[in-house]
Amino acid sequence: MAAADAMKTTVEQFTASSNQAFKDAVEKTLGALNDVNSYSKSNLEALIASVTAATKGAETLGAQAMAYSKKSVEDQVAAAKSLAAAKSIQEVVELQTSFAKSALEAYMAEVGKMSETVAASVKDSMKPINERVTAAVERLQAAR
């Protein structure tokens, strides 16, 4: 009977140890899944913030392009009227030269302005993603 009691005790200890190990493994897995879900949620939020910033930049760029186009057409109409009212070939050449110079200067200024808008938009849209990459690198380094 002593052997049977010893065997029963051994089986009970083994069962208890197995149950505890299984419970610990499940809790650890659930904790890891929670971490992954939290991390994925943060990544999704960063992606949404990035797309929102890019959309805002595109809207700003579109508004700038429309304003420039409108002003450019107005300037061209005014130049055409001036050219039509010119009294001599010399005056036409001077008006055309002046218009070409001012149109080129306005274009170059607009290109610079749009370049700044694009650069700011890219910077703003990449910021949330860069923060997530930094967090991932820090997490990997901490895990080492």
Side-chain angles (χ1 to χ4, degrees):
M1 213 23 130
D5 287 339
M7 181 64 125
K8 180 181 175 187
T9 303
T10 302
V11 168
E12 287 173 353
Q13 288 175 347
F14 176 76
T15 303
S17 295
S18 296
N19 286 342
Q20 186 61 43
F22 180 75
K23 181 180 174 186
D24 292 346
V26 167
E27 287 176 359
K28 186 175 180 181
T29 302
L30 290 176
L33 286 174
N34 251 354
D35 289 346
V36 168
N37 284 339
S38 174
Y39 194 74
S40 294
K41 180 182 176 191
S42 297
N43 288 345
L44 181 60
E45 289 169 351
L47 181 62
I48 290 169
S50 177
V51 169
T52 301
T55 302
K56 182 180 174 189
E59 289 172 355
T60 302
L61 195 60
Q64 285 177 348
M66 290 299 294
Y68 173 74
S69 295
K70 181 180 176 188
K71 179 155 179 9
S72 180
V73 168
E74 291 170 354
D75 291 347
Q76 290 171 9
V77 168
K81 287 180 183 178
S82 295
L83 289 173
K87 305 272 190 251
S88 69
I89 297 294
Q90 178 66 29
E91 189 178 354
V92 168
V93 171
E94 288 173 3
L95 288 171
Q96 181 60 31
T97 302
S98 174
F99 171 72
K101 181 181 176 186
S102 65
L104 183 60
E105 289 171 352
Y107 174 75
M108 295 306 290
E110 190 64 24
V111 166
K113 186 177 168 184
M114 287 184 168
S115 294
E116 289 173 7
T117 300
V118 168
S121 177
V122 168
K123 180 182 173 187
D124 291 345
S125 64
M126 291 307 294
K127 183 180 177 192
I129 293 172
N130 285 340
E131 289 172 353
R132 294 307 306 152
V133 169
T134 300
V137 168
E138 289 172 355
R139 190 171 180 171
L140 287 173
Q141 287 176 344
R144 282 206 239 169

